[in-house]
Amino acid sequence: MEARKHPFKPPVAISVFIILFCSAYAWSESDFLDDIAVFSAVDDESLLATDDDEAVGRTWIEQSGARDLLDILAALPGFEVNRDIASTNAISLHGQRRDARFVLLIDGVRLQNSYDGSVFWRIPAEMIEQVIVRYDADGVLYGEGAFLCVIELTTRRKLGLDSEVAYGSTRQVLSSIAAGKTWQRLQGFVLAYADLGHNNIGALASSNDLLLSKTLNLHLFSNAQLLAESRGDVSTFLWKADLGLSMPDTGKYAVEFRVYGGQHDVYRQREVAPRGFVDENSDRSAPVVFAEGVLSEQSYTVFAAGARLLGQVQLVPSNILAMGIEMGMEGIPRGAFSFEANRTLTRAHQNMGPIAELTLNQNRVCNMYGYERNAFGACRFRASGFVQDTWQLDKYVQLVAGARLSSFSDVEFDFWSHLMSKVTIVVTPERGWNIKLQYDRSLSLATFEEQYDNTQIVFSDIARAVHVGNEFLGPELVSLYKIAGSYDGYYRSTRYRIGLSTYFEKATHIIDKTDDGKIISMLSNEGGYDTLGIETEGKVNFSDKNYIYFNVSWFRAFWRQFISGESSCGVYFFEPETAKNPCTMITDRPQLRLNLGVNVDAFSLGTLHLQAIVGSERRHNMRNALDRRRYSQTPAYGYVNVTFRSNPVFRYFVFDARLFGLPYSDGMSIYVGLNFLFDEM
């Protein structure tokens, strides 16, 4: 099937806006970690960073040879990186795979596609300075969607010039250039990246930070990113920008105000039935033949914009109070959602075009708290406020408690389901030891696609079952209970770090594709799952360039359905007799996953990094009759990545070679690259 190019046409005003922002990009003073931190607090530019984090810095990214954000996440505990049946990049954590349950922040602003919740995971590593992963359902600080975890990405902070050209055995040509300079009170950075090959990816990032007042420590900052990908039947174009004022550290208080906006433009082509498909069940006298196959094309534009005010004040030396308010809107411009097919609702053949009998709910007039907004179709307005208090009760114990209350224009308000909360106790009994007890409660909203999409009814006779949108879907809810501990210490000149975390996660009102025996069914909030897991990781640093690390994660997840409020099965001994049927175990992600890595100084020539990734066998979820018909099994897998990065040659040049194993296949991918470094500009 030959893909048709989608004519991306961002408005002129947006294009001018992006160009103006591309002069430089934002940065606040901060200490960036150059390694993988084990359950330890991270100093970063987040105004409200109070929890334990998992951080990956620029040095580790370069040493490991990571190609993009997917490679970085694959090295962390609990993450599984693969592709779904549509060959789309997919990330799962603790067995759950749904982009809308993750929050991805780039320089402090979300990058999610508001239509289907999808995330642009293939952000090139050359664009990344640091990644912080918060393994908490921390909706208090980050809002709805912080269901599984929050991933904070900071773009490159390169003073001077860094350029790279690389070639991959999959016929990929990678090139990038990053530059940064300080002019008195202004500091700016810019980066451009291109990946030409099977997946064509382009990226542009820029930012600046201007110190307006040394006395007040007042900064004016801006950020902008542009990403584009074209791979066969899918094309994506997106941009994001923000502008704000901040006083990041004045001793007693900190303030940040930010306005932001963004756009996703997506085109997707799908082959629903192969070439030569014959509809023999057609009501017509003769079968209908689709010589080119049954095809569909979908395209849409979705915007997001908002404003956020954060504040932090030190009431007494042992207490810090953080608070904030946020308002935002996302929506599809009226008529900007398009769906075409070469088949009608009556199963007749037609030239590729709109389906006359099909009403696209995505283009209905936006209703915002009872007021119609003709400029938009599907839309959502959100308003929220939060407060979080951090108490240092004594030299050994710290208490963190917070709550956030939100309102959404397209979801009926319910105080308890719209309230997110957290309580964390951190105990440090001895130097280097850390014990953490945590409770988080968060929510995730239905996407526009889950609320309004009805396009698949065109193919209801071809598919096993079709699920259409339900605009009355409520939020998904999750509660997380965690106990974690870590040790960080030295023996002679060697640094040892070890961490262990156990957790229990209970999710309810999950949006599930319930198999009710009908060909066409509406999505509903009838599912739920219980997950128990344990993770451990460690790292031994002999020197900055010589270290070993490992992480192991294991979990068990059980799926439930709720019928009239009653669970269809039971897991625990104390549940009622009506729920004693065993719950289906979720096994479509590896229950056991192991990462091993070593970095060595290769005889002063450079660094050699070896990484092994192993995952256990898993099977497709079998939660209903539809899943049983699609039963599949994926065997255990293991693969090795090898990277060599030379020390500077003639001061300015760095050579690197990377070999990446490919899971589920017998092949591998090899890259060779040359970097030019110039630290003074």
Side-chain angles (χ1 to χ4, degrees), residues 351-385:
N351 293 327
M352 184 67 72
I355 301 173
E357 307 92 338
L358 184 67
T359 300
L360 299 178
N361 296 327
Q362 295 90 335
N363 290 328
R364 292 190 323 191
V365 175
C366 167
N367 189 307
M368 194 177 297
Y369 293 113
Y371 296 94
E372 292 189 347
R373 297 291 182 266
N374 291 323
F376 285 91
C379 70
R380 174 178 294 149
F381 179 84
R382 66 190 72 207
S384 63

Side-chain angles (χ1 to χ4, degrees), residues 101-311:
R101 294 177 190 159
F102 293 88
V103 169
L104 175 63
L105 303 174
I106 294 189
D107 292 333
V109 177
R110 293 193 188 208
L111 197 69
Q112 242 94 357
N113 179 336
S114 302
Y115 176 71
D116 59 8
S118 61
V119 174
F120 193 100
W121 292 113
R122 295 203 61 198
I123 298 172
E126 287 78 2
M127 188 176 173
I128 301 172
E129 182 71 33
Q130 183 188 41
V131 177
I132 300 175
V133 177
R134 308 184 191 278
Y135 284 89
D136 309 326
D138 196 349
V140 171
L141 293 184
Y142 300 96
E144 74 285 351
F147 197 90
L148 293 173
C149 77
V150 176
I151 302 169
E152 289 193 72
L153 185 153
T154 306
T155 49
R156 284 289 298 276
R157 304 300 192 246
K158 170 63 182 178
L159 285 171
L161 179 67
D162 183 348
S163 64
E164 179 182 12
V165 177
Y167 178 78
S169 60
T170 54
R171 298 182 179 180
Q172 285 180 285
V173 178
L174 315 178
S175 60
S176 67
I177 182 169
K181 186 173 177 60
T182 300
W183 300 272
Q184 298 181 353
R185 296 187 178 187
L186 176 65
Q187 191 167 45
F189 305 87
V190 65
L191 177 139
Y193 171 88
D195 175 355
L196 304 178
H198 177 66
N199 294 319
N200 297 308
I201 297 177
L204 182 65
S206 66
S207 169
N208 65 63
D209 181 89
L210 175 64
L211 179 60
L212 297 177
S213 170
K214 290 185 178 180
T215 304
L216 297 176
N217 194 22
L218 178 63
H219 294 253
L220 172 68
F221 64 87
S222 64
N223 301 269
Q225 294 86 34
L226 184 151
L227 293 160
E229 179 181 21
S230 177
R231 54 176 186 86
D233 57 350
V234 178
S235 297
T236 302
F237 168 87
L238 66 96
W239 65 267
K240 178 190 72 65
D242 62 274
L243 176 69
L245 292 169
S246 69
M247 289 188 287
D249 184 13
T250 61
K252 292 289 186 180
Y253 59 89
V255 179
E256 178 187 281
F257 174 72
R258 185 192 303 251
V259 293
Y260 55 87
Q263 169 193 343
H264 278 74
D265 196 346
V266 177
Y267 166 76
R268 182 176 288 111
Q269 189 178 41
R270 182 183 174 202
E271 184 181 82
V272 183
R275 294 174 182 269
F277 173 75
V278 179
D279 185 358
E280 296 180 348
N281 297 318
S282 173
D283 296 333
R284 290 168 174 78
S285 57
V288 179
V289 179
F290 293 83
E292 72 277 35
V294 179
L295 308 177
S296 69
E297 295 180 359
Q298 173 184 288
S299 64
Y300 60 85
T301 296
V302 59
F303 287 98
R308 182 172 67 210
L309 175 64
L310 306 177

Side-chain angles (χ1 to χ4, degrees), residues 126 214 333 387 404 443 478 541 551 565 581 586 608 651 665:
E126 287 78 2
K214 290 185 178 180
V387 60
R404 174 188 286 255
L443 65 89
V478 64
N541 279 84
N551 59 68
N581 296 321
I586 301 176
L608 180 66
R651 183 181 177 184
S665 71

